[in-house]
Amino acid sequence: MLRVLAIDDEVPALEELAFLLRADPRIGQVICAGEAAGALRDLSRILVAGERLDAVFLDIRMPGLDGLDFTRLLTGFAAPPQVVFVTAHDDCAVTAFDLGALDYLLKPVRPERLAKAVGRLDEVVRRNAAVAEDAPPRPDDDEMVPVELAGRTRLVSRRAVTHVEAHGDYVRLHTHEGSFLVRMPLASLARRWQPAGFIRIHRSTLVASAHISELRFDGGRAAVQVGGELLPVSRRHTREVRDLLVRRFRHDDPARGSTPVPGLPGD
């Protein structure tokens, strides 16, 4: 069954849309949000946790982040949900479809028109699922994470993240440009980003192995050099980190110009 997110800043309109969606037997769950910026953060947590979201039904004219900008930001996700606009304005249809919208519904929404949009969504989701079985996403595909910065929402590329630290219910993403606090569990992020080369070095720290330049041992304690920071490796994770970097070291071929990681033994 389909899982969708409904976004509208007008409460009566949101309640009506959610009611109509839940009445459709093809819809299994409807998540509601009253504004787009918060919905974008919720969407990021859902996808990072490895959960499925099939579509977003949203208004266009909303304060702060509007529906069109929300849709533009969705393109940064590795597997963005389908988008169906539900609006009282008919002057944005061309732009909406240029952005890849699945459908464009005008308020007040007629149940039969919404049912047609859900039918199209169901067909697309089934087709995409069949394709994904034959060609699963590559682990090196990038992913974007929405973060709040000075009251604005921006996207941070996973490839730019050097390491991640847990802060209670939040994580802090560290990049060369700065750090960003995001509400999501470290455990979920670790599972999702493991295929992209992120490794747990401590119960509260996740590191991108590509950004590790050195592994150090001092008095039985291990640490990794990531940029200008030396991050401690817990005893529990030391062997895993060492084995990973040894494999990377042995895979590197100096004749091709690659640089081995210092601190690791030779063959």
Side-chain angles (χ1 to χ4, degrees):
M1 299 182 76
L2 300 170
R3 190 182 192 211
V4 304
L5 172 63
I7 310 170
D8 200 313
D9 64 305
E10 297 180 356
V11 175
L14 180 60
E15 291 178 346
E16 175 68 11
L17 176 59
F19 173 79
L20 293 175
L21 287 169
R22 289 176 179 134
D24 193 304
R26 294 165 292 190
I27 302 288
Q29 183 180 11
V30 180
I31 304 168
C32 295
E35 50 97 19
L40 189 65
R41 294 190 294 272
D42 291 340
L43 173 61
S44 176
R45 288 197 294 271
I46 289 171
L47 297 182
V48 166
E51 300 175 21
R52 192 186 87 252
L53 188 71
D54 298 305
V56 179
F57 289 75
L58 77 164
D59 195 7
I60 289 181
R61 304 282 168 80
M62 292 182 288
L65 186 67
D66 68 20
L68 296 175
D69 286 338
F70 179 95
T71 304
R72 292 185 180 98
L73 290 173
L74 282 185
T75 60
F77 289 95
Q82 299 294 320
V83 173
V84 176
F85 286 104
V86 183
T87 177
H89 305 278
D90 61 0
D91 57 342
C92 297
V94 173
T95 302
F97 285 115
D98 283 345
L99 291 174
L102 180 68
D103 212 333
Y104 192 96
L105 311 183
L106 290 176
K107 297 177 181 177
V109 180
R110 292 180 290 112
E112 61 273 18
R113 181 66 182 86
L114 181 62
K116 183 177 180 180
V118 173
R120 294 183 63 189
L121 170 63
D122 188 47
E123 181 180 347
V124 168
V125 169
R126 290 177 184 274
R127 183 170 64 246
N128 289 347
V131 171
E133 289 182 0
D134 296 331
R138 298 177 303 172
D140 60 344
D141 285 345
D142 200 8
E143 183 174 316
M144 309 300 286
V145 179
V147 299
E148 284 291 311
L149 186 63
R152 301 180 61 185
T153 301
R154 61 166 289 187
L155 294 179
V156 173
S157 167
R158 183 184 62 202
R159 290 183 181 139
V161 177
T162 58
H163 61 289
V164 185
E165 292 179 306
H167 285 265
D169 294 333
Y170 290 77
V171 293
R172 184 172 292 279
L173 308 180
H174 291 268
T175 72
H176 293 304
E177 295 181 355
S179 64
F180 309 93
L181 204 59
V182 181
R183 186 179 177 85
M184 65 176 64
L186 183 68
S188 297
L189 196 65
R191 286 193 298 270
R192 184 171 180 86
W193 284 8
Q194 182 181 9
F198 281 76
I199 183 171
R200 199 78 168 260
I201 66 168
H202 192 277
R203 62 185 178 84
S204 62
T205 312
L206 185 68
V207 172
S209 61
H211 289 279
I212 297 176
S213 58
E214 186 175 357
L215 174 63
R216 299 184 184 181
F217 291 95
D218 184 10
R221 293 283 184 176
V224 292
Q225 188 74 41
V226 178
E229 294 193 56
L230 189 63
L231 305 175
V233 179
S234 70
R235 293 185 183 276
R236 175 184 176 187
H237 293 92
T238 296
R239 183 179 181 86
E240 180 184 2
V241 173
R242 181 188 176 281
D243 290 349
L244 172 72
L245 296 182
V246 165
R247 289 196 299 271
R248 200 176 96 193
F249 169 73
R250 290 175 176 170
H251 180 267
D252 283 335
D253 183 357
R256 294 181 302 190
S258 58
T259 303
V261 178
L264 295 178
D267 288 328

